[in-house]
Amino acid sequence: MAIGERIHFFRTARGMTQKYLGMLLGFPEKSADVRLAQYETGTRTPKADLTAALAQALDVSPQALAVPDIDSYTGLMHTLFCLEDRYGLTVGEADGEICLKVKGEQGKDAAELLKMLFAWKEQADRLSAGEVSVEEYDRWRYHYPKHDTTQRWAKVPSQELSDALVEAFREERK
């Protein structure tokens, strides 16, 4: 999902209009909605400082906005292939269904990803058990790792991952 789609997703989830969000960011009232529409449609791409301001206004981590571009099935598959190369992600089958697996013994990066996935599973299980609300679960996801209480996470170099995904995609297109 491109950054514009993520901005749109979080803006509408928060019940904000484009004009309101644009004005929160300091754009003039007259052009606030037009400016936000440009970012949401991908006509313009926000720079790092604006991405940080958007994240703050939308109450999410900047990394929740800047996810890899997975808006096509092919792009999603290449994202998964990159995760296979970098983090040891594998595809398998369990109980007649396709599943993705990470084998922690495949190296430090795989072990760290596995820890983060266990933290995610723990939160998803808490949601299923009614121990946390959907709002608490979403706060955990959209601010990860800020609200992670498992103490088993490690920071993933998100810019490096993003750059690696972009480079892998460019190589594939050649």
Side-chain angles (χ1 to χ4, degrees):
M1 190 177 284
I3 191 168
E5 292 176 74
R6 295 295 284 175
I7 294 167
H8 176 80
F9 172 81
F10 287 116
R11 179 183 60 76
T12 57
R14 304 290 188 266
M16 297 178 179
T17 63
Q18 288 177 331
K19 183 177 282 299
Y20 178 79
L21 180 55
M23 290 172 57
L24 274 179
L25 297 170
F27 300 140
E29 182 178 1
K30 188 167 84 172
S31 62
D33 55 343
V34 173
R35 188 81 177 269
L36 248 293
Q38 291 173 332
Y39 292 118
E40 288 185 6
T41 61
T43 306
R44 296 180 74 158
T45 303
K47 292 188 179 355
D49 59 334
L50 182 56
T51 299
L54 279 160
Q56 184 174 7
L58 294 168
D59 191 29
V60 297
S61 165
Q63 289 83 7
L65 294 176
V67 296
D69 187 6
I70 56 171
D71 58 350
S72 72
Y73 295 124
T74 303
L76 175 58
M77 287 301 294
H78 285 282
T79 299
L80 294 171
F81 297 152
C82 186
L83 292 172
E84 177 183 31
D85 294 340
R86 177 133 186 188
Y87 296 100
L89 184 71
T90 61
V91 63
E93 187 175 339
D95 300 322
E97 295 191 324
I98 298 296
C99 63
L100 299 174
K101 300 184 267 184
V102 177
K103 295 181 181 177
E105 67 271 7
Q106 288 192 342
K108 182 181 178 231
D109 288 340
E112 292 302 320
L113 177 59
L114 190 60
K115 289 176 189 177
M116 290 183 282
L117 292 173
F118 272 117
W120 181 17
K121 182 185 179 312
E122 181 178 298
Q123 292 302 313
D125 289 346
R126 292 182 69 210
L127 176 65
S128 293
E131 296 172 16
V132 296
S133 67
V134 172
E135 293 79 17
E136 290 169 314
Y137 177 71
D138 284 347
R139 184 177 68 237
W140 184 89
R141 291 189 312 145
Y142 300 142
H143 288 276
Y144 183 83
K146 181 178 177 183
H147 297 295
D148 185 22
T149 58
T150 64
Q151 300 299 312
R152 292 186 289 187
W153 56 270
K155 288 187 178 181
V156 174
S158 34
Q159 187 59 51
E160 287 180 50
L161 175 59
S162 180
D163 292 345
L165 291 170
V166 168
E167 185 59 37
F169 183 71
R170 284 186 183 142
E171 289 298 316
E172 184 62 28
R173 291 181 71 190
K174 287 182 183 177

